[in-house]
Amino acid sequence: MSACALRVFLQRAAVMRKAAHQTFSQTRAFPQCVTGSYTHSRGINTLTNSLRAEEKVTVHFLNRDGKRISVKALTGESLLDIVVNHDLDIDGFGACEGTLACSTCHLIFEEAVYKKLGPISDEEMDMLDLAYGLTDTSRLGCQVCLRKDLDGMILRVPDVISDARVDSEKESSTAPPKV
Ligand code: FES
């Protein structure tokens, strides 16, 4: 495949990924962020107020190649939303569209920021266990929602990603046949 054809292929893949994510986001009963940290501790009234008072904050991603990608995004968006909506060049990120089935959205936070993020669900913890390069301050980007007090945070993209769906397919194809 020529370089030009490859570039066109990658551009089309990015457009399709963005469209699929937007369609999926619209069909979910609640945005990921609504079912996450807001409702856990503060109740529906605070949630509604939070959604009304959307503000832009800055997020910095430290990509695998060491380059920093800085974006302004709305409070209430998940980190997966930000990567998709801004077409950030983070290879393989968010493969399952936020359905907690892949762990490709693994991100590493600064400790002080990590402490502000709130509780991790059992489902997120199960998926994090499958992520490569897990740290004490790791979270899944599809489960973390932007808030005003997270303005300016720096997130590190791990060097290697694992996709639990692909990994389990590989395991089953290499497993010895049952007798
Ligand atoms: Fe798949 Fe977050 S996007 S677990």
Side-chain angles (χ1 to χ4, degrees), residues 36-37 40 79 93 103-109 113-121 124-125 127-128 131 134-145 147 155-156 158:
S37 56
H40 275 313
L79 296 175
F93 195 92
S103 74
T104 60
C105 60
H106 174 204
L107 290 168
I108 299 167
F109 292 76
V113 174
Y114 178 83
K115 285 180 179 165
K116 292 185 195 173
L117 297 180
I120 304 181
S121 68
E124 182 182 352
M125 192 62 90
M127 209 35 69
L128 262 178
L134 190 64
T135 73
D136 288 342
T137 59
S138 290
R139 290 287 303 260
L140 294 180
C142 65
Q143 302 301 304
V144 175
C145 303
R147 304 187 314 245
L155 310 162
R156 189 159 63 77

PDB file of all heavy atoms in Angstrom, residues 36-37 40 79 93 103-109 113-121 124-125 127-128 131 134-145 147 155-156 158:
ATOM      1  N   GLY A  36     -21.105   7.742  36.276  1.00  0.00           N
ATOM      2  CA  GLY A  36     -19.849   7.615  36.993  1.00  0.00           C
ATOM      3  C   GLY A  36     -19.808   8.416  38.269  1.00  0.00           C
ATOM      4  O   GLY A  36     -20.733   8.385  39.072  1.00  0.00           O
ATOM      5  N   SER A  37     -18.767   9.194  38.442  1.00  0.00           N
ATOM      6  CA  SER A  37     -18.484   9.790  39.738  1.00  0.00           C
ATOM      7  C   SER A  37     -19.537  10.783  40.219  1.00  0.00           C
ATOM      8  O   SER A  37     -19.709  10.957  41.402  1.00  0.00           O
ATOM      9  CB  SER A  37     -17.130  10.476  39.688  1.00  0.00           C
ATOM     10  OG  SER A  37     -17.124  11.413  38.646  1.00  0.00           O
ATOM     11  N   HIS A  40     -22.420   8.903  42.081  1.00  0.00           N
ATOM     12  CA  HIS A  40     -21.993   8.098  43.214  1.00  0.00           C
ATOM     13  C   HIS A  40     -22.121   8.861  44.531  1.00  0.00           C
ATOM     14  O   HIS A  40     -22.656   8.372  45.491  1.00  0.00           O
ATOM     15  CB  HIS A  40     -20.532   7.691  43.054  1.00  0.00           C
ATOM     16  CG  HIS A  40     -20.385   6.467  42.223  1.00  0.00           C
ATOM     17  ND1 HIS A  40     -21.144   5.347  42.406  1.00  0.00           N
ATOM     18  CD2 HIS A  40     -19.562   6.201  41.191  1.00  0.00           C
ATOM     19  CE1 HIS A  40     -20.810   4.432  41.531  1.00  0.00           C
ATOM     20  NE2 HIS A  40     -19.852   4.918  40.769  1.00  0.00           N
ATOM     21  N   LEU A  79     -12.723  11.375  29.226  1.00  0.00           N
ATOM     22  CA  LEU A  79     -11.427  11.513  28.541  1.00  0.00           C
ATOM     23  C   LEU A  79     -11.466  10.789  27.199  1.00  0.00           C
ATOM     24  O   LEU A  79     -10.791  11.188  26.252  1.00  0.00           O
ATOM     25  CB  LEU A  79     -10.308  10.983  29.436  1.00  0.00           C
ATOM     26  CG  LEU A  79     -10.136  11.780  30.735  1.00  0.00           C
ATOM     27  CD1 LEU A  79      -9.089  11.130  31.625  1.00  0.00           C
ATOM     28  CD2 LEU A  79      -9.784  13.235  30.454  1.00  0.00           C
ATOM     29  N   PHE A  93      -6.531   3.932  20.969  1.00  0.00           N
ATOM     30  CA  PHE A  93      -7.232   4.375  22.175  1.00  0.00           C
ATOM     31  C   PHE A  93      -8.747   4.189  22.031  1.00  0.00           C
ATOM     32  O   PHE A  93      -9.340   4.549  21.029  1.00  0.00           O
ATOM     33  CB  PHE A  93      -6.922   5.853  22.431  1.00  0.00           C
ATOM     34  CG  PHE A  93      -7.285   6.338  23.799  1.00  0.00           C
ATOM     35  CD1 PHE A  93      -6.363   6.307  24.830  1.00  0.00           C
ATOM     36  CD2 PHE A  93      -8.550   6.831  24.060  1.00  0.00           C
ATOM     37  CE1 PHE A  93      -6.683   6.757  26.089  1.00  0.00           C
ATOM     38  CE2 PHE A  93      -8.889   7.284  25.324  1.00  0.00           C
ATOM     39  CZ  PHE A  93      -7.949   7.250  26.339  1.00  0.00           C
ATOM     40  N   SER A 103      -9.760  -1.950  27.806  1.00  0.00           N
ATOM     41  CA  SER A 103      -8.672  -1.311  28.568  1.00  0.00           C
ATOM     42  C   SER A 103      -7.649  -0.582  27.702  1.00  0.00           C
ATOM     43  O   SER A 103      -6.569  -0.229  28.161  1.00  0.00           O
ATOM     44  CB  SER A 103      -7.978  -2.286  29.528  1.00  0.00           C
ATOM     45  OG  SER A 103      -7.144  -3.182  28.845  1.00  0.00           O
ATOM     46  N   THR A 104      -7.997  -0.303  26.437  1.00  0.00           N
ATOM     47  CA  THR A 104      -7.081   0.477  25.589  1.00  0.00           C
ATOM     48  C   THR A 104      -7.085   1.964  25.951  1.00  0.00           C
ATOM     49  O   THR A 104      -6.275   2.730  25.439  1.00  0.00           O
ATOM     50  CB  THR A 104      -7.456   0.350  24.102  1.00  0.00           C
ATOM     51  OG1 THR A 104      -8.786   0.850  23.931  1.00  0.00           O
ATOM     52  CG2 THR A 104      -7.378  -1.080  23.617  1.00  0.00           C
ATOM     53  N   CYS A 105      -8.001   2.361  26.826  1.00  0.00           N
ATOM     54  CA  CYS A 105      -8.078   3.768  27.223  1.00  0.00           C
ATOM     55  C   CYS A 105      -7.319   4.006  28.535  1.00  0.00           C
ATOM     56  O   CYS A 105      -7.539   5.016  29.202  1.00  0.00           O
ATOM     57  CB  CYS A 105      -9.535   4.198  27.372  1.00  0.00           C
ATOM     58  SG  CYS A 105     -10.402   3.236  28.619  1.00  0.00           S
ATOM     59  N   HIS A 106      -6.431   3.068  28.864  1.00  0.00           N
ATOM     60  CA  HIS A 106      -5.625   3.182  30.089  1.00  0.00           C
ATOM     61  C   HIS A 106      -4.797   4.470  30.071  1.00  0.00           C
ATOM     62  O   HIS A 106      -4.099   4.748  29.109  1.00  0.00           O
ATOM     63  CB  HIS A 106      -4.710   1.945  30.166  1.00  0.00           C
ATOM     64  CG  HIS A 106      -3.731   1.963  31.281  1.00  0.00           C
ATOM     65  ND1 HIS A 106      -2.551   1.247  31.241  1.00  0.00           N
ATOM     66  CD2 HIS A 106      -3.737   2.604  32.472  1.00  0.00           C
ATOM     67  CE1 HIS A 106      -1.878   1.447  32.356  1.00  0.00           C
ATOM     68  NE2 HIS A 106      -2.573   2.272  33.125  1.00  0.00           N
ATOM     69  N   LEU A 107      -4.900   5.242  31.147  1.00  0.00           N
ATOM     70  CA  LEU A 107      -4.121   6.478  31.287  1.00  0.00           C
ATOM     71  C   LEU A 107      -3.515   6.525  32.686  1.00  0.00           C
ATOM     72  O   LEU A 107      -4.088   5.982  33.635  1.00  0.00           O
ATOM     73  CB  LEU A 107      -5.026   7.697  31.095  1.00  0.00           C
ATOM     74  CG  LEU A 107      -5.531   7.936  29.667  1.00  0.00           C
ATOM     75  CD1 LEU A 107      -6.638   8.980  29.672  1.00  0.00           C
ATOM     76  CD2 LEU A 107      -4.394   8.366  28.748  1.00  0.00           C
ATOM     77  N   ILE A 108      -2.382   7.205  32.792  1.00  0.00           N
ATOM     78  CA  ILE A 108      -1.706   7.308  34.091  1.00  0.00           C
ATOM     79  C   ILE A 108      -1.749   8.770  34.545  1.00  0.00           C
ATOM     80  O   ILE A 108      -1.373   9.677  33.805  1.00  0.00           O
ATOM     81  CB  ILE A 108      -0.260   6.799  33.963  1.00  0.00           C
ATOM     82  CG1 ILE A 108      -0.301   5.321  33.523  1.00  0.00           C
ATOM     83  CG2 ILE A 108       0.475   6.963  35.277  1.00  0.00           C
ATOM     84  CD1 ILE A 108       1.032   4.770  33.056  1.00  0.00           C
ATOM     85  N   PHE A 109      -2.214   8.966  35.772  1.00  0.00           N
ATOM     86  CA  PHE A 109      -2.437  10.304  36.318  1.00  0.00           C
ATOM     87  C   PHE A 109      -1.344  10.677  37.310  1.00  0.00           C
ATOM     88  O   PHE A 109      -0.704   9.805  37.906  1.00  0.00           O
ATOM     89  CB  PHE A 109      -3.788  10.346  37.050  1.00  0.00           C
ATOM     90  CG  PHE A 109      -4.971  10.204  36.148  1.00  0.00           C
ATOM     91  CD1 PHE A 109      -5.315   8.960  35.621  1.00  0.00           C
ATOM     92  CD2 PHE A 109      -5.731  11.296  35.810  1.00  0.00           C
ATOM     93  CE1 PHE A 109      -6.406   8.824  34.771  1.00  0.00           C
ATOM     94  CE2 PHE A 109      -6.823  11.170  34.970  1.00  0.00           C
ATOM     95  CZ  PHE A 109      -7.156   9.936  34.446  1.00  0.00           C
ATOM     96  N   VAL A 113      -3.799  14.417  41.312  1.00  0.00           N
ATOM     97  CA  VAL A 113      -5.014  14.409  40.482  1.00  0.00           C
ATOM     98  C   VAL A 113      -5.769  13.107  40.694  1.00  0.00           C
ATOM     99  O   VAL A 113      -6.994  13.092  40.845  1.00  0.00           O
ATOM    100  CB  VAL A 113      -4.646  14.588  38.988  1.00  0.00           C
ATOM    101  CG1 VAL A 113      -5.872  14.425  38.104  1.00  0.00           C
ATOM    102  CG2 VAL A 113      -3.992  15.942  38.760  1.00  0.00           C
ATOM    103  N   TYR A 114      -5.020  12.016  40.726  1.00  0.00           N
ATOM    104  CA  TYR A 114      -5.650  10.691  40.898  1.00  0.00           C
ATOM    105  C   TYR A 114      -6.526  10.666  42.154  1.00  0.00           C
ATOM    106  O   TYR A 114      -7.630  10.122  42.144  1.00  0.00           O
ATOM    107  CB  TYR A 114      -4.549   9.627  40.988  1.00  0.00           C
ATOM    108  CG  TYR A 114      -5.073   8.240  41.212  1.00  0.00           C
ATOM    109  CD1 TYR A 114      -5.519   7.461  40.151  1.00  0.00           C
ATOM    110  CD2 TYR A 114      -5.138   7.711  42.506  1.00  0.00           C
ATOM    111  CE1 TYR A 114      -6.011   6.185  40.362  1.00  0.00           C
ATOM    112  CE2 TYR A 114      -5.629   6.427  42.715  1.00  0.00           C
ATOM    113  CZ  TYR A 114      -6.061   5.676  41.638  1.00  0.00           C
ATOM    114  OH  TYR A 114      -6.565   4.412  41.864  1.00  0.00           O
ATOM    115  N   LYS A 115      -6.031  11.291  43.216  1.00  0.00           N
ATOM    116  CA  LYS A 115      -6.779  11.281  44.487  1.00  0.00           C
ATOM    117  C   LYS A 115      -8.102  12.030  44.378  1.00  0.00           C
ATOM    118  O   LYS A 115      -9.019  11.799  45.162  1.00  0.00           O
ATOM    119  CB  LYS A 115      -5.924  11.895  45.593  1.00  0.00           C
ATOM    120  CG  LYS A 115      -4.823  10.960  46.052  1.00  0.00           C
ATOM    121  CD  LYS A 115      -3.995  11.597  47.135  1.00  0.00           C
ATOM    122  CE  LYS A 115      -2.904  10.656  47.613  1.00  0.00           C
ATOM    123  NZ  LYS A 115      -1.879  11.337  48.395  1.00  0.00           N
ATOM    124  N   LYS A 116      -8.192  12.948  43.427  1.00  0.00           N
ATOM    125  CA  LYS A 116      -9.430  13.720  43.276  1.00  0.00           C
ATOM    126  C   LYS A 116     -10.490  12.982  42.466  1.00  0.00           C
ATOM    127  O   LYS A 116     -11.624  13.431  42.389  1.00  0.00           O
ATOM    128  CB  LYS A 116      -9.142  15.023  42.506  1.00  0.00           C
ATOM    129  CG  LYS A 116      -8.305  16.035  43.199  1.00  0.00           C
ATOM    130  CD  LYS A 116      -8.287  17.258  42.282  1.00  0.00           C
ATOM    131  CE  LYS A 116      -7.198  18.231  42.643  1.00  0.00           C
ATOM    132  NZ  LYS A 116      -7.111  19.306  41.651  1.00  0.00           N
ATOM    133  N   LEU A 117     -10.118  11.895  41.821  1.00  0.00           N
ATOM    134  CA  LEU A 117     -11.006  11.303  40.821  1.00  0.00           C
ATOM    135  C   LEU A 117     -12.193  10.552  41.389  1.00  0.00           C
ATOM    136  O   LEU A 117     -13.163  10.312  40.694  1.00  0.00           O
ATOM    137  CB  LEU A 117     -10.224  10.377  39.883  1.00  0.00           C
ATOM    138  CG  LEU A 117      -9.135  11.063  39.050  1.00  0.00           C
ATOM    139  CD1 LEU A 117      -8.436  10.034  38.177  1.00  0.00           C
ATOM    140  CD2 LEU A 117      -9.722  12.186  38.207  1.00  0.00           C
ATOM    141  N   GLY A 118     -12.105  10.146  42.625  1.00  0.00           N
ATOM    142  CA  GLY A 118     -13.234   9.437  43.207  1.00  0.00           C
ATOM    143  C   GLY A 118     -13.116   7.929  43.035  1.00  0.00           C
ATOM    144  O   GLY A 118     -12.119   7.425  42.520  1.00  0.00           O
ATOM    145  N   PRO A 119     -14.138   7.218  43.486  1.00  0.00           N
ATOM    146  CA  PRO A 119     -14.054   5.752  43.543  1.00  0.00           C
ATOM    147  C   PRO A 119     -14.031   5.101  42.164  1.00  0.00           C
ATOM    148  O   PRO A 119     -14.541   5.648  41.192  1.00  0.00           O
ATOM    149  CB  PRO A 119     -15.323   5.361  44.297  1.00  0.00           C
ATOM    150  CG  PRO A 119     -16.253   6.500  44.137  1.00  0.00           C
ATOM    151  CD  PRO A 119     -15.426   7.732  43.955  1.00  0.00           C
ATOM    152  N   ILE A 120     -13.430   3.911  42.130  1.00  0.00           N
ATOM    153  CA  ILE A 120     -13.386   3.110  40.900  1.00  0.00           C
ATOM    154  C   ILE A 120     -14.430   2.003  41.022  1.00  0.00           C
ATOM    155  O   ILE A 120     -14.519   1.346  42.063  1.00  0.00           O
ATOM    156  CB  ILE A 120     -11.999   2.464  40.719  1.00  0.00           C
ATOM    157  CG1 ILE A 120     -10.913   3.532  40.734  1.00  0.00           C
ATOM    158  CG2 ILE A 120     -11.933   1.660  39.443  1.00  0.00           C
ATOM    159  CD1 ILE A 120      -9.514   2.972  40.531  1.00  0.00           C
ATOM    160  N   SER A 121     -15.196   1.796  39.986  1.00  0.00           N
ATOM    161  CA  SER A 121     -16.199   0.718  40.035  1.00  0.00           C
ATOM    162  C   SER A 121     -15.501  -0.635  39.929  1.00  0.00           C
ATOM    163  O   SER A 121     -14.365  -0.728  39.444  1.00  0.00           O
ATOM    164  CB  SER A 121     -17.198   0.881  38.876  1.00  0.00           C
ATOM    165  OG  SER A 121     -16.533   0.627  37.650  1.00  0.00           O
ATOM    166  N   GLU A 124     -14.586  -1.338  36.318  1.00  0.00           N
ATOM    167  CA  GLU A 124     -13.374  -0.672  35.839  1.00  0.00           C
ATOM    168  C   GLU A 124     -12.134  -1.358  36.403  1.00  0.00           C
ATOM    169  O   GLU A 124     -11.147  -1.564  35.703  1.00  0.00           O
ATOM    170  CB  GLU A 124     -13.379   0.819  36.223  1.00  0.00           C
ATOM    171  CG  GLU A 124     -12.144   1.541  35.690  1.00  0.00           C
ATOM    172  CD  GLU A 124     -12.059   3.015  36.073  1.00  0.00           C
ATOM    173  OE1 GLU A 124     -13.035   3.560  36.640  1.00  0.00           O
ATOM    174  OE2 GLU A 124     -11.011   3.619  35.814  1.00  0.00           O
ATOM    175  N   MET A 125     -12.207  -1.723  37.674  1.00  0.00           N
ATOM    176  CA  MET A 125     -11.062  -2.385  38.313  1.00  0.00           C
ATOM    177  C   MET A 125     -10.733  -3.705  37.609  1.00  0.00           C
ATOM    178  O   MET A 125      -9.564  -4.008  37.350  1.00  0.00           O
ATOM    179  CB  MET A 125     -11.417  -2.646  39.781  1.00  0.00           C
ATOM    180  CG  MET A 125     -10.242  -3.066  40.626  1.00  0.00           C
ATOM    181  SD  MET A 125      -8.981  -1.797  40.692  1.00  0.00           S
ATOM    182  CE  MET A 125      -9.515  -0.889  42.121  1.00  0.00           C
ATOM    183  N   MET A 127     -11.236  -4.472  34.529  1.00  0.00           N
ATOM    184  CA  MET A 127     -10.636  -4.201  33.217  1.00  0.00           C
ATOM    185  C   MET A 127      -9.230  -3.621  33.379  1.00  0.00           C
ATOM    186  O   MET A 127      -8.330  -3.936  32.602  1.00  0.00           O
ATOM    187  CB  MET A 127     -11.564  -3.243  32.472  1.00  0.00           C
ATOM    188  CG  MET A 127     -11.560  -3.337  30.980  1.00  0.00           C
ATOM    189  SD  MET A 127     -11.335  -4.948  30.240  1.00  0.00           S
ATOM    190  CE  MET A 127     -12.862  -5.761  30.654  1.00  0.00           C
ATOM    191  N   LEU A 128      -9.039  -2.796  34.400  1.00  0.00           N
ATOM    192  CA  LEU A 128      -7.697  -2.234  34.656  1.00  0.00           C
ATOM    193  C   LEU A 128      -6.691  -3.351  34.933  1.00  0.00           C
ATOM    194  O   LEU A 128      -5.527  -3.251  34.541  1.00  0.00           O
ATOM    195  CB  LEU A 128      -7.753  -1.299  35.865  1.00  0.00           C
ATOM    196  CG  LEU A 128      -7.874   0.190  35.599  1.00  0.00           C
ATOM    197  CD1 LEU A 128      -7.963   0.934  36.916  1.00  0.00           C
ATOM    198  CD2 LEU A 128      -6.749   0.734  34.753  1.00  0.00           C
ATOM    199  N   ALA A 131      -4.798  -4.325  31.992  1.00  0.00           N
ATOM    200  CA  ALA A 131      -3.999  -3.323  31.268  1.00  0.00           C
ATOM    201  C   ALA A 131      -2.506  -3.571  31.473  1.00  0.00           C
ATOM    202  O   ALA A 131      -2.086  -3.954  32.570  1.00  0.00           O
ATOM    203  CB  ALA A 131      -4.368  -1.920  31.758  1.00  0.00           C
ATOM    204  N   LEU A 134       0.314  -1.319  34.379  1.00  0.00           N
ATOM    205  CA  LEU A 134      -0.573  -0.753  35.401  1.00  0.00           C
ATOM    206  C   LEU A 134       0.244  -0.069  36.502  1.00  0.00           C
ATOM    207  O   LEU A 134       1.270  -0.597  36.938  1.00  0.00           O
ATOM    208  CB  LEU A 134      -1.407  -1.893  35.995  1.00  0.00           C
ATOM    209  CG  LEU A 134      -2.544  -1.499  36.907  1.00  0.00           C
ATOM    210  CD1 LEU A 134      -3.593  -0.714  36.131  1.00  0.00           C
ATOM    211  CD2 LEU A 134      -3.163  -2.735  37.541  1.00  0.00           C
ATOM    212  N   THR A 135      -0.214   1.091  36.955  1.00  0.00           N
ATOM    213  CA  THR A 135       0.454   1.801  38.053  1.00  0.00           C
ATOM    214  C   THR A 135      -0.562   2.065  39.166  1.00  0.00           C
ATOM    215  O   THR A 135      -1.762   1.813  38.994  1.00  0.00           O
ATOM    216  CB  THR A 135       1.019   3.164  37.590  1.00  0.00           C
ATOM    217  OG1 THR A 135      -0.090   4.063  37.412  1.00  0.00           O
ATOM    218  CG2 THR A 135       1.801   3.043  36.293  1.00  0.00           C
ATOM    219  N   ASP A 136      -0.081   2.616  40.269  1.00  0.00           N
ATOM    220  CA  ASP A 136      -0.979   2.947  41.386  1.00  0.00           C
ATOM    221  C   ASP A 136      -1.909   4.104  41.045  1.00  0.00           C
ATOM    222  O   ASP A 136      -2.862   4.380  41.764  1.00  0.00           O
ATOM    223  CB  ASP A 136      -0.165   3.331  42.630  1.00  0.00           C
ATOM    224  CG  ASP A 136       0.511   2.119  43.236  1.00  0.00           C
ATOM    225  OD1 ASP A 136       0.090   0.991  42.919  1.00  0.00           O
ATOM    226  OD2 ASP A 136       1.467   2.306  44.003  1.00  0.00           O
ATOM    227  N   THR A 137      -1.595   4.816  39.978  1.00  0.00           N
ATOM    228  CA  THR A 137      -2.424   5.969  39.610  1.00  0.00           C
ATOM    229  C   THR A 137      -3.028   5.798  38.221  1.00  0.00           C
ATOM    230  O   THR A 137      -3.241   6.765  37.502  1.00  0.00           O
ATOM    231  CB  THR A 137      -1.615   7.280  39.688  1.00  0.00           C
ATOM    232  OG1 THR A 137      -0.497   7.169  38.784  1.00  0.00           O
ATOM    233  CG2 THR A 137      -1.120   7.562  41.087  1.00  0.00           C
ATOM    234  N   SER A 138      -3.303   4.552  37.872  1.00  0.00           N
ATOM    235  CA  SER A 138      -3.910   4.263  36.565  1.00  0.00           C
ATOM    236  C   SER A 138      -5.429   4.332  36.652  1.00  0.00           C
ATOM    237  O   SER A 138      -6.019   3.928  37.658  1.00  0.00           O
ATOM    238  CB  SER A 138      -3.529   2.850  36.115  1.00  0.00           C
ATOM    239  OG  SER A 138      -2.180   2.762  35.780  1.00  0.00           O
ATOM    240  N   ARG A 139      -6.051   4.809  35.594  1.00  0.00           N
ATOM    241  CA  ARG A 139      -7.511   4.740  35.445  1.00  0.00           C
ATOM    242  C   ARG A 139      -7.833   4.512  33.966  1.00  0.00           C
ATOM    243  O   ARG A 139      -6.977   4.695  33.108  1.00  0.00           O
ATOM    244  CB  ARG A 139      -8.192   6.048  35.900  1.00  0.00           C
ATOM    245  CG  ARG A 139      -8.159   6.318  37.378  1.00  0.00           C
ATOM    246  CD  ARG A 139      -9.081   5.450  38.202  1.00  0.00           C
ATOM    247  NE  ARG A 139     -10.489   5.507  37.810  1.00  0.00           N
ATOM    248  CZ  ARG A 139     -11.417   6.222  38.433  1.00  0.00           C
ATOM    249  NH1 ARG A 139     -11.089   6.950  39.474  1.00  0.00           N
ATOM    250  NH2 ARG A 139     -12.676   6.198  38.025  1.00  0.00           N
ATOM    251  N   LEU A 140      -9.080   4.158  33.714  1.00  0.00           N
ATOM    252  CA  LEU A 140      -9.528   4.038  32.325  1.00  0.00           C
ATOM    253  C   LEU A 140     -10.157   5.359  31.903  1.00  0.00           C
ATOM    254  O   LEU A 140     -11.068   5.866  32.567  1.00  0.00           O
ATOM    255  CB  LEU A 140     -10.543   2.898  32.194  1.00  0.00           C
ATOM    256  CG  LEU A 140      -9.984   1.495  32.457  1.00  0.00           C
ATOM    257  CD1 LEU A 140     -11.080   0.444  32.300  1.00  0.00           C
ATOM    258  CD2 LEU A 140      -8.805   1.174  31.547  1.00  0.00           C
ATOM    259  N   GLY A 141      -9.681   5.881  30.788  1.00  0.00           N
ATOM    260  CA  GLY A 141     -10.130   7.204  30.336  1.00  0.00           C
ATOM    261  C   GLY A 141     -11.609   7.282  30.032  1.00  0.00           C
ATOM    262  O   GLY A 141     -12.208   8.354  30.141  1.00  0.00           O
ATOM    263  N   CYS A 142     -12.226   6.159  29.676  1.00  0.00           N
ATOM    264  CA  CYS A 142     -13.662   6.211  29.363  1.00  0.00           C
ATOM    265  C   CYS A 142     -14.498   6.351  30.626  1.00  0.00           C
ATOM    266  O   CYS A 142     -15.703   6.607  30.539  1.00  0.00           O
ATOM    267  CB  CYS A 142     -14.089   4.990  28.558  1.00  0.00           C
ATOM    268  SG  CYS A 142     -13.960   3.417  29.449  1.00  0.00           S
ATOM    269  N   GLN A 143     -13.883   6.177  31.785  1.00  0.00           N
ATOM    270  CA  GLN A 143     -14.630   6.228  33.042  1.00  0.00           C
ATOM    271  C   GLN A 143     -14.343   7.495  33.845  1.00  0.00           C
ATOM    272  O   GLN A 143     -14.872   7.669  34.935  1.00  0.00           O
ATOM    273  CB  GLN A 143     -14.283   5.003  33.897  1.00  0.00           C
ATOM    274  CG  GLN A 143     -14.578   3.685  33.206  1.00  0.00           C
ATOM    275  CD  GLN A 143     -16.049   3.559  32.837  1.00  0.00           C
ATOM    276  OE1 GLN A 143     -16.918   3.678  33.707  1.00  0.00           O
ATOM    277  NE2 GLN A 143     -16.334   3.337  31.569  1.00  0.00           N
ATOM    278  N   VAL A 144     -13.490   8.352  33.321  1.00  0.00           N
ATOM    279  CA  VAL A 144     -13.121   9.571  34.055  1.00  0.00           C
ATOM    280  C   VAL A 144     -13.706  10.779  33.335  1.00  0.00           C
ATOM    281  O   VAL A 144     -13.513  10.955  32.133  1.00  0.00           O
ATOM    282  CB  VAL A 144     -11.587   9.707  34.155  1.00  0.00           C
ATOM    283  CG1 VAL A 144     -11.205  11.033  34.799  1.00  0.00           C
ATOM    284  CG2 VAL A 144     -11.016   8.543  34.948  1.00  0.00           C
ATOM    285  N   CYS A 145     -14.428  11.588  34.079  1.00  0.00           N
ATOM    286  CA  CYS A 145     -15.106  12.741  33.498  1.00  0.00           C
ATOM    287  C   CYS A 145     -14.418  14.033  33.901  1.00  0.00           C
ATOM    288  O   CYS A 145     -13.940  14.176  35.030  1.00  0.00           O
ATOM    289  CB  CYS A 145     -16.549  12.777  33.975  1.00  0.00           C
ATOM    290  SG  CYS A 145     -17.374  11.262  33.547  1.00  0.00           S
ATOM    291  N   ARG A 147     -13.829  17.697  35.081  1.00  0.00           N
ATOM    292  CA  ARG A 147     -14.445  18.667  36.001  1.00  0.00           C
ATOM    293  C   ARG A 147     -13.547  19.887  36.056  1.00  0.00           C
ATOM    294  O   ARG A 147     -12.371  19.829  35.712  1.00  0.00           O
ATOM    295  CB  ARG A 147     -14.568  18.077  37.414  1.00  0.00           C
ATOM    296  CG  ARG A 147     -15.330  16.787  37.502  1.00  0.00           C
ATOM    297  CD  ARG A 147     -15.527  16.397  38.965  1.00  0.00           C
ATOM    298  NE  ARG A 147     -14.325  16.524  39.767  1.00  0.00           N
ATOM    299  CZ  ARG A 147     -13.689  15.500  40.343  1.00  0.00           C
ATOM    300  NH1 ARG A 147     -14.134  14.261  40.191  1.00  0.00           N
ATOM    301  NH2 ARG A 147     -12.617  15.700  41.067  1.00  0.00           N
ATOM    302  N   LEU A 155      -1.846  13.869  31.754  1.00  0.00           N
ATOM    303  CA  LEU A 155      -2.105  12.433  31.709  1.00  0.00           C
ATOM    304  C   LEU A 155      -1.043  11.773  30.861  1.00  0.00           C
ATOM    305  O   LEU A 155      -0.720  12.274  29.796  1.00  0.00           O
ATOM    306  CB  LEU A 155      -3.455  12.170  31.033  1.00  0.00           C
ATOM    307  CG  LEU A 155      -4.617  12.971  31.572  1.00  0.00           C
ATOM    308  CD1 LEU A 155      -5.756  12.976  30.590  1.00  0.00           C
ATOM    309  CD2 LEU A 155      -5.052  12.363  32.877  1.00  0.00           C
ATOM    310  N   ARG A 156      -0.525  10.663  31.331  1.00  0.00           N
ATOM    311  CA  ARG A 156       0.478   9.949  30.525  1.00  0.00           C
ATOM    312  C   ARG A 156      -0.172   8.747  29.849  1.00  0.00           C
ATOM    313  O   ARG A 156      -0.894   7.971  30.479  1.00  0.00           O
ATOM    314  CB  ARG A 156       1.646   9.505  31.404  1.00  0.00           C
ATOM    315  CG  ARG A 156       2.812   8.963  30.597  1.00  0.00           C
ATOM    316  CD  ARG A 156       4.098   9.025  31.408  1.00  0.00           C
ATOM    317  NE  ARG A 156       4.070   8.201  32.600  1.00  0.00           N
ATOM    318  CZ  ARG A 156       4.224   6.870  32.591  1.00  0.00           C
ATOM    319  NH1 ARG A 156       4.404   6.223  31.464  1.00  0.00           N
ATOM    320  NH2 ARG A 156       4.209   6.209  33.730  1.00  0.00           N
ATOM    321  N   PRO A 158       0.247   5.190  28.444  1.00  0.00           N
ATOM    322  CA  PRO A 158       1.247   4.130  28.644  1.00  0.00           C
ATOM    323  C   PRO A 158       1.921   3.731  27.331  1.00  0.00           C
ATOM    324  O   PRO A 158       1.328   3.888  26.266  1.00  0.00           O
ATOM    325  CB  PRO A 158       0.429   2.960  29.196  1.00  0.00           C
ATOM    326  CG  PRO A 158      -0.952   3.431  29.369  1.00  0.00           C
ATOM    327  CD  PRO A 158      -1.111   4.773  28.769  1.00  0.00           C
TER     328      PRO A 158
END
